[in-house]
Amino acid sequence: MAEQGKTPIPKSQREIATGLNEPTIPGNDPNNVTKYFPSLADARANNQSVQPARASRISQKEDSWKPFTIGIKDLDEAIKYYFDNVIQPSVVQNGNRIAVPTIYGSPERWKSVQRDGYYRDKKGKIMAPLIMYKRTNIDRNRGITNKIDANFPQNYAVFQQQYTKKNHYNNLSVLNGAKPIKTYQAIVIPDFVTFTYSCVIYTYYMEQLNQIIEAINYAADTYWGDPQRFKFRAMINGYQTITELNVGQERTVKGNFDIKLNGYIIPNVIQKDLDALKKFSSDSKVIITQETIESLTRDRGNQFIEGINTNLD
Amino acid sequence: MALFGRTRDVNLIKTINRELLGDVITQQCSFYKIRLEETTFNLYGEAAGGKFYDGPIIFNCLVDRNDQEYPESDLGVDFNWSTIFKFLREDILNAGMQPEVGDIILYNDGYYQVDDVISNQYFVGKDPNYPNEPNPLNPGLSDFGGNLSYIVKTHYEPADKFGITKERF
């Protein structure tokens, strides 16, 4: 119960998150807490939450890079980028070569009708050809490495940071034999996942569908994505072609296929921000090679001499 | 010999209807007929390289519009509009045309492909084209009755499919 007359202060997000995290104790032995996690033992003794070591909390204020993250959207965008910029599917229709637009499936109604006019005619009818893709599944891929424990990530990919204002290289340093401190960027090993995308190619004619499938099939099983960003291996196993002729409706020619994208995710979440190492520096050393004093007895008198003598004993 | 529905009666009906369609109702549409000689097709039975048409020929007609529909699929919100066009048969024949499944009708900036052609509105139930002559029971049936209309059921098609107007920019 709150103390009488004292306003309770709610815990911050950081306090709540760190309070919930407890590392896995080796052997599940409570005695190992003191051995492996002294800070946790102290915290438990004092009924406090665990706070990560201050040494691992290096400011990223002036860094030229942001914390490395790859989200689900990045993988979705990789598919569209590859369709639009690398495969560039096109068909010949009424004597003109036209590019095949790619859309993500099931957009909002207003967007579909009012904004996506480039593949609609005056009345709003969808014009072919068109490629639609939609993510249908995300599977965890446990066949590759992992970070072991989300509460205390153990596996990192480490990159050395380039020289900066504080960590610069100059000739004077070389002359003096001074080596600048190396700063490293630590990134938690990502969660490896397999994305499944369901794709539909919609055309007026089978001949157009053939052209598009040929183009996509050529690009199958390669790495898809923006070379300036991320590329992921896209696997396509097969295509299903459907020609429908329904009463009172237009003839539709469709090709269905699935893309399996081997991707990975490094989320930008507060739990990672609190628990994972993001940046660290190499060990720094100050080496004193020579020290000269004028007189041993000048300032400290016999105490210093006595001290030396004691050591010699 | 039949008693009613002689050619004069049929002509009266046709004249009244023509006047009604042309001067009172005044609904019109344009008819495109596929040129079979010039339109080539491929292995899949489709003219992917483009189609050629005769026309357009404007006809007075009676337009029976159904409601517009907006079906939804993964591709987004689509648009369907089935419409029935009713022509005076003689107008079509006088233009040297015969509506068939697959022909195109332009109506209010939209293209409609013909699904069904219905021609069974016989005046007094008789088609003078089939008088069963020589007919000992009722000779001269070719002067009675009349086939009055073409009723054409259509569905809306995306405009760029036909290449008649430029729809993609």
Side-chain angles (χ1 to χ4, degrees), chain A residues 45-262:
Chain A
N46 298 323
N47 200 20
Q48 293 173 339
S49 61
V50 184
Q51 294 295 329
R54 285 280 296 150
S56 65
R57 298 202 167 279
I58 301 175
S59 172
Q60 295 179 283
K61 193 175 178 183
E62 294 182 0
D63 287 347
S64 58
W65 45 270
K66 289 180 180 177
F68 194 78
T69 60
I70 301 175
I72 293 172
K73 192 180 169 196
D74 290 314
L75 278 85
D76 295 342
E77 285 174 344
I79 299 274
K80 181 161 173 57
Y81 177 90
Y82 205 75
F83 271 125
D84 290 345
N85 298 287
V86 181
I87 299 177
Q88 296 185 3
S90 65
V91 296
V92 176
Q93 188 161 292
N94 297 319
N96 298 318
R97 181 165 287 280
I98 53 175
V100 182
T102 307
I103 60 165
Y104 193 88
S106 304
E108 277 193 74
R109 288 187 183 87
W110 69 267
K111 196 258 182 185
S112 174
V113 174
Q114 298 178 32
R115 287 295 302 270
D116 292 346
Y118 60 95
Y119 61 85
R120 292 177 182 277
D121 69 0
K122 289 172 191 167
K123 304 255 188 235
K125 180 82 175 169
I126 294 174
M127 296 192 291
L130 186 67
I131 295 174
M132 184 283 301
Y133 75 102
K134 192 166 74 168
R135 176 168 27 84
T136 56
N137 205 19
I138 301 175
D139 287 325
R140 283 186 68 93
N141 189 348
R142 293 192 172 87
I144 316 176
T145 182
N146 61 59
K147 60 184 177 295
I148 297 177
D149 184 359
N151 294 328
F152 285 85
Q154 302 297 310
N155 282 343
Y156 291 91
V158 176
F159 302 93
Q160 186 180 336
Q161 220 182 335
Q162 298 296 314
Y163 287 113
T164 60
K165 282 181 184 175
K166 287 185 178 176
N167 181 27
H168 60 276
Y169 177 89
N170 59 32
N171 291 334
L172 187 63
S173 302
V174 177
L175 279 173
N176 293 331
K179 293 179 182 175
I181 298 169
K182 292 174 183 172
T183 308
Y184 298 94
Q185 181 184 5
I187 300 159
V188 178
I189 287 292
D191 301 315
F192 292 93
V193 288
T194 303
F195 282 39
T196 306
Y197 292 92
S198 172
C199 305
V200 177
I201 309 167
Y202 168 52
T203 59
Y204 293 138
Y205 307 112
M206 185 66 83
E207 209 166 280
Q208 295 176 339
L209 182 67
N210 293 349
Q211 290 176 19
I212 297 171
I213 288 179
E214 284 164 12
I216 293 170
N217 192 51
Y218 183 80
D221 298 358
T222 54
Y223 286 83
W224 288 26
D226 184 352
Q228 301 295 323
R229 301 188 69 202
F230 313 107
K231 297 179 89 172
F232 309 97
R233 192 164 192 207
M235 316 285 280
I236 301 173
N237 288 327
Y239 307 86
Q240 184 185 12
T241 58
I242 303 164
T243 308
E244 289 178 343
L245 200 61
N246 297 323
V247 177
Q249 290 179 5
E250 61 181 314
R251 175 179 183 264
T252 54
V253 179
K254 286 183 180 174
N256 298 333
F257 64 97
D258 287 341
I259 299 174
K260 286 207 177 290
L261 199 71
N262 296 325

Side-chain angles (χ1 to χ4, degrees), chain A residues 14 18-19 21-23 39-41 43-44 48-52 152:
Chain A
R14 179 180 295 272
T18 52
N21 291 344
E22 287 214 352
S39 61
L40 176 63
R44 281 181 173 177
Q48 293 173 339
S49 61
V50 184
Q51 294 295 329
F152 285 85

Side-chain angles (χ1 to χ4, degrees), chain A residues 256-301:
Chain A
N256 298 333
F257 64 97
D258 287 341
I259 299 174
K260 286 207 177 290
L261 199 71
N262 296 325
Y264 43 89
I265 299 170
I266 305 175
N268 185 18
V269 292
I270 191 162
Q271 187 184 13
K272 180 169 81 74
D273 192 44
L274 294 173
D275 297 332
L277 186 64
K278 293 184 284 295
K279 183 180 175 183
F280 64 93
S281 302
S282 62
D283 293 338
S284 55
K285 289 188 288 187
V286 179
I287 301 170
I288 301 169
T289 55
Q290 190 176 26
E291 186 178 357
T292 307
I293 56 173
E294 289 180 13
S295 170
L296 288 172
T297 57
R298 183 174 175 183
D299 295 325
R300 301 180 183 178

Side-chain angles (χ1 to χ4, degrees), chain B residues 1-163:
Chain B
M1 185 175 153
L3 294 175
F4 305 103
R6 191 177 272 277
T7 311
R8 285 184 59 188
D9 303 332
V10 176
N11 287 340
L12 173 68
I13 296 297
K14 286 178 183 172
T15 307
I16 291 171
N17 277 302
R18 186 171 290 116
E19 200 172 316
L20 198 64
L21 287 174
D23 299 335
V24 181
I25 299 171
T26 61
Q27 290 179 328
Q28 292 186 324
C29 69
S30 304
F31 206 96
Y32 289 90
K33 184 92 183 146
I34 289 182
R35 268 190 218 169
L36 293 178
E37 298 79 19
E38 295 176 38
T39 304
T40 56
F41 57 91
N42 62 15
L43 170 72
Y44 310 108
E46 53 194 23
K51 297 184 184 76
F52 296 90
Y53 301 93
D54 279 328
I57 300 172
I58 298 177
F59 292 106
N60 294 319
C61 61
L62 199 61
V63 183
D64 191 358
R65 295 173 300 277
N66 292 325
D67 293 341
Q68 291 98 330
E69 294 171 348
Y70 297 88
E72 292 176 16
S73 67
D74 287 343
L75 298 173
V77 180
D78 208 348
F79 176 81
N80 284 341
W81 197 6
S82 57
T83 305
I84 300 171
F85 298 91
K86 298 169 181 173
F87 301 95
L88 202 59
R89 189 169 189 270
E90 205 168 78
D91 288 353
I92 299 263
L93 296 178
N94 288 343
M97 297 189 79
Q98 174 85 24
E100 289 173 290
V101 174
D103 289 339
I104 307 298
I105 291 173
L106 173 63
Y107 172 68
N108 283 4
D109 256 0
Y111 292 90
Y112 298 80
Q113 190 165 44
V114 176
D115 294 322
D116 300 310
V117 180
I118 298 163
S119 178
N120 64 358
Q121 282 192 322
Y122 298 145
F123 186 72
V124 293
K126 285 192 284 289
D127 186 351
N129 293 323
Y130 301 97
N132 297 325
E133 287 179 342
N135 192 335
L137 293 176
N138 278 305
L141 280 185
S142 58
D143 293 334
F144 290 86
N147 194 349
L148 297 178
S149 66
Y150 274 123
I151 298 173
V152 177
K153 292 184 179 176
T154 64
H155 70 269
Y156 185 84
E157 286 266 359
D160 73 321
K161 190 171 184 179
F162 309 110

